Amino acid sequence: MTMKKILMTMLCGLLFPFATQAQTFSETPFSKDKYYVGASLSTAELSYSKSQDWQIGVHAKGGYLLEDNWMITANLGGDYYHKGSNKSLTAGAGLRYYIEQNGLYLGAGANYVHEHGYDDFMPTVQLGYAFFLNRTVTLEPELYYNQSLKNHSEYSGFGIRIGIGIYFE
């Protein structure tokens, strides 16, 4: 009788890791039909283009996961520059793909930028990482490049953003 108990305990011990793994991976953090809300900040010395010495910007982003790992996004933002027209407003849309379930992502999109006396359409690419602080809240550092279609040498630029995101159903 004790041999049966020992064998049953060993069998349960061997199957337990597989059962917990199946439960863990049944829903990924970037699974279909989740929503996303985020805010980011780019600060002085973290962004560069020829048209400004430094900038500080605040951006809000919302998204929806159409499929596992594929998110469609919309964003709105404002930037303040040290020189030039001093401020700009941005509105855009994009697509984000999570390469790994650990949070690494690639993004691409297009932004409409309005400054005093200047309007531009800027395609953008991003590389970022969603670091989970808990089950739904992330810290998201991001490298980005904005390509000006109107005046490449003056307004195209790259930078770093730090953001916070919330994923919910």
Side-chain angles (χ1 to χ4, degrees), residues 95-165:
L95 190 64
R96 186 185 276 190
Y97 175 70
Y98 292 91
I99 299 169
E100 296 282 335
Q101 287 303 313
N102 66 4
L104 185 63
Y105 65 85
L106 290 173
N111 293 321
Y112 170 75
V113 178
H114 172 74
E115 294 182 23
H116 181 70
Y118 180 80
D119 294 315
D120 201 352
F121 179 75
M122 292 187 171
T124 182
V125 293
Q126 306 98 24
L127 172 64
Y129 183 77
F131 175 76
F132 279 86
L133 300 175
N134 63 25
R135 288 182 54 110
T136 57
V137 178
T138 58
L139 183 62
E140 298 182 348
E142 179 180 88
L143 298 170
Y144 67 90
Y145 178 75
N146 294 330
Q147 172 68 49
S148 173
L149 295 181
K150 200 168 194 180
N151 188 341
H152 169 71
S153 64
E154 290 293 319
Y155 292 99
S156 296
F158 61 90
I160 299 173
R161 282 192 195 103
I162 306 295
I164 292 182

Side-chain angles (χ1 to χ4, degrees), residues 38-42 55 57-61 75-79 90 144 161:
S40 62
L41 178 68
S42 57
Q55 82 174 43
V58 177
H59 297 262
K61 188 178 280 189
N75 64 68
L76 211 59
D79 295 291
T90 304
Y144 67 90
R161 282 192 195 103

Side-chain angles (χ1 to χ4, degrees), residues 42-49 52-56 79 81 144 146 157-160:
S42 57
T43 60
E45 305 297 327
L46 293 180
S47 172
Y48 171 77
S49 79
Q52 63 260 5
D53 286 339
W54 62 269
Q55 82 174 43
I56 187 165
D79 295 291
Y81 306 103
Y144 67 90
N146 294 330
F158 61 90
I160 299 173

